């Protein structure tokens, strides 16, 4: 068995957004679409702290599809367009099957990790610039993080992990006790998003 996922070190994230940009470019995401976002736990605006100087607090949190072991989205998809990959544990989307009902978006407890293409995809430079193996984006289709499955097929890490300058993103197999991600969650205090929802996310945050 294989259960691939991410470990993200919240303490060391510098909110450079390199992971979000790399994801957008690698996956040829249309204008206005982001699969990976860096949110600020602090003030009312991005990159602003909470509190009054000198008593300020701020943290960064990377949010994308949590690739749940018990995904709510898969259960509600009426056509099987949202499915769990048996080889990797990744939650995937089949664009050709998707009917645009957005039931998966409604069922997912992680707000904003999925997007919907209301119109034909448009690009800032007028043409595709991502990996040639990325499926063509379509109108009226739900999209989200794919774990860069096209890169995994070549033995590469997801683009967001490869480009992180602070090296706060880790990727591996949680079913392998000797993997780096397994060792990290054994040795470091960590949390997961909305653990009380029973989805069992495959993204762990070191705190």
């Amino acid at each position: 068995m294989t259960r691939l996922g991410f470990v993200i070190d919240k303490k060391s994230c510098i909110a450079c957004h390199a992971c979000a940009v790399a994801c957008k470019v690698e996956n040829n995401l249309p204008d206005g679409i982001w699969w990976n976002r860096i949110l600020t736990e602090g003030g009312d605006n991005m990159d602003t702290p909470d509190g009054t100087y000198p008593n300020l607090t701020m943290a960064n949190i990377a949010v994308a599809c949590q690739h749940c072991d018990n995904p709510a989205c898969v259960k509600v998809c009426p056509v099987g367009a949202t499915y769990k990959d048996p080889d990797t544990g990744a939650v995937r989307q089949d664009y050709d099957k998707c009917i645009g009902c957005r039931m998966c978006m409604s069922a997912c407890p992680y707000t904003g990790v999925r997007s919907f293409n209301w119109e034909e995809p448009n690009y800032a430079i007028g043409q595709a610039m991502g990996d040639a193996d990325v499926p063509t984006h379509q109108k009226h289709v739900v999209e989200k993080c794919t774990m860069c499955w096209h890169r995994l097929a070549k033995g590469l890490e997801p683009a967001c992990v490869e480009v992180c300058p602070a090296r706060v993103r880790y990727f591996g197999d949680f079913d392998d006790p000797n993997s780096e991600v397994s060792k990290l969650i054994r040795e470091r205090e960590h949390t997961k998003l909305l653990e009380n929802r029973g989805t069992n996310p495959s993204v762990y945050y070191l705190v």
Side-chain angles (χ1 to χ4, degrees):
M1 293 292 292
T2 300
R3 185 168 73 92
L4 298 179
F6 299 87
V7 171
I8 302 174
D9 188 344
K10 284 181 60 179
K11 281 187 174 182
S12 301
C13 176
I14 59 175
C16 66
H17 303 271
C19 55
V21 174
C23 170
K24 189 171 182 68
V25 173
E26 175 73 22
N27 291 285
N28 192 38
L29 300 188
D31 290 354
I33 302 297
W34 296 86
W35 289 352
N36 187 12
R37 296 169 297 145
I38 307 301
L39 305 182
T40 306
E41 294 178 320
D44 294 332
N45 300 303
M46 182 182 291
D47 300 328
T48 59
D50 183 36
T52 303
Y53 181 83
N55 301 308
L56 302 173
T57 60
M58 187 174 78
N60 307 304
I61 181 167
V63 179
C65 175
Q66 301 293 292
H67 294 283
C68 304
D69 205 32
N70 183 31
C73 55
V74 172
K75 298 175 183 177
V76 300
C77 181
V79 293
T82 299
Y83 66 99
K84 192 170 174 61
D85 184 354
D87 295 327
T88 63
V91 177
R92 298 271 302 277
Q93 295 280 136
D94 187 326
Y95 299 159
D96 292 330
K97 287 184 179 180
C98 181
I99 59 175
C101 69
R102 287 163 285 154
M103 289 291 288
C104 57
M105 298 180 75
S106 296
C108 176
Y110 305 103
T111 304
V113 302
R114 290 170 178 264
S115 56
F116 184 71
N117 291 328
W118 290 98
E119 304 294 340
E120 290 293 344
N122 291 309
Y123 301 95
I125 63 171
Q127 65 181 40
M129 58 180 174
D131 192 291
D133 293 327
V134 172
T136 301
H137 298 280
Q138 303 175 29
K139 181 181 178 180
H140 292 167
V141 162
V142 176
E143 300 186 345
K144 62 171 202 63
C145 164
T146 66
M147 277 192 190
C148 285
W149 66 268
H150 60 287
R151 291 176 59 88
L152 300 185
K154 302 171 187 175
L156 303 173
E157 291 183 317
C160 61
V161 176
E162 183 176 89
V163 304
C164 179
R167 297 294 181 260
V168 303
R169 302 180 71 102
Y170 304 86
F171 181 76
D173 181 8
F174 289 112
D175 281 346
D176 177 4
N178 295 315
S179 68
E180 186 173 25
V181 290
S182 292
K183 291 177 181 177
L184 283 169
I185 62 174
R186 279 201 307 268
E187 297 168 359
R188 295 271 304 271
E189 185 180 353
H190 60 271
T191 186
K192 293 194 283 186
L193 298 181
L194 302 180
E195 290 188 80
N196 62 336
R197 299 297 292 269
T199 55
N200 192 20
S202 294
V203 180
Y204 294 74
Y205 296 90
L206 304 178
V207 295

